[in-house]
Amino acid sequence: MQRSSKLWIVGSTLLLLLLYVTPMWQIDLTAPQYPEGLGLFIWINKISGQNPGDLKTINLLNHYIGMKAITPSDIPELTYMPYIVGAIISLGLLVAWTGNKKLLYIWVTMFLMVLIAGLIDFYLWEYDYGHNLEPKAPIKVPGMTYQPPLIGVKQLLNMTTLSIPYTGGVAAGVAFLIGLAVAWREFRNQSKEQKT
């Protein structure tokens, strides 16, 4: 691997450290009765309100429409996600240290698989919370489900819901794109060398 490629890989892996200190996703809720908005931050190891009391308020609203309470301790992914990110960081640094191209391709593939698995898992989590409703909920709207969007905006009754990556999630996406670009460049250079 070229020296510049190694430096780019080091930079991309260090970007992933942001996942430990900033949320990776945010869900914003706005409605006429909450003009200041409510919101959730999803971290790699916890879920918190964007403001004090937001998580409690959202759980109270969810109770009325039959959704389960969002209890971070009941979400196993929040326990093991820090270790998965740590493994990706460690492998990325090993790639940069050894300069091994095969290891680079393995690292990029694993990174992609973790990103896809994370998005699928998040979608399924949202689906479960939005569809598996308590039949005896105080407020029932026939045929209504409350699954937030994976990415983007969705109207849920009188609530406008926005779901987008936050700083940690953006950093992870950028880190992957850097790794992919480096892998592509190294692959092209290797192909050119083999032809000469």
Side-chain angles (χ1 to χ4, degrees):
M1 279 175 58
Q2 297 177 19
R3 184 172 183 272
S4 61
S5 293
K6 293 180 180 182
L7 292 174
W8 277 109
I9 294 298
V10 169
S12 69
T13 55
L14 294 180
L15 268 177
L16 293 175
L17 293 174
L18 286 173
L19 285 167
Y20 292 94
V21 295
T22 186
M24 59 181 175
W25 214 268
Q26 69 177 8
I27 298 177
D28 295 324
L29 305 168
T30 54
Q33 65 269 41
Y34 296 101
E36 71 284 358
L38 297 168
L40 294 175
F41 281 138
I42 300 171
W43 306 64
I44 62 169
N45 63 344
K46 64 182 179 180
I47 296 177
S48 64
Q50 291 183 12
N51 302 295
D54 277 7
L55 182 56
K56 184 177 179 180
T57 302
I58 289 168
N59 276 336
L60 184 62
L61 292 170
N62 287 350
H63 166 74
Y64 284 111
I65 58 176
M67 291 176 72
K68 292 183 287 189
I70 298 170
T71 309
S73 60
D74 291 341
I75 303 171
E77 294 87 342
L78 299 176
T79 302
Y80 56 75
M81 186 59 75
Y83 299 104
I84 293 173
V85 173
I88 292 173
I89 291 171
S90 299
L91 185 56
L93 293 175
L94 182 63
V95 167
W97 183 58
T98 62
N100 186 307
K101 290 182 184 180
K102 287 184 180 178
L103 200 56
L104 169 65
Y105 304 144
I106 290 170
W107 177 69
V108 170
T109 302
M110 283 181 57
F111 200 160
L112 177 61
M113 289 171 62
V114 167
L115 289 175
I116 291 171
L119 288 172
I120 291 171
D121 185 68
F122 183 40
Y123 173 84
L124 293 174
W125 177 80
E126 287 184 321
Y127 183 92
D128 179 53
Y129 272 80
H131 286 78
N132 295 324
L133 306 175
E134 170 58 49
K136 296 179 181 178
I139 299 172
K140 288 186 287 187
V141 180
M144 184 69 188
T145 60
Y146 302 97
Q147 180 181 357
L150 181 64
I151 298 176
V153 179
K154 186 176 182 181
Q155 192 71 29
L156 300 171
L157 296 178
N158 67 336
M159 285 267 184
T160 302
T161 308
L162 170 68
S163 176
I164 54 173
Y166 201 69
T167 307
V170 172
V174 170
F176 171 72
L177 291 175
I178 290 171
L180 185 63
V182 169
W184 174 247
R185 184 173 79 168
E186 289 297 327
F187 178 76
R188 284 180 58 199
N189 288 343
Q190 186 176 6
S191 298
K192 288 178 183 177
E193 289 169 7
Q194 288 172 351
K195 287 178 182 178
T196 56

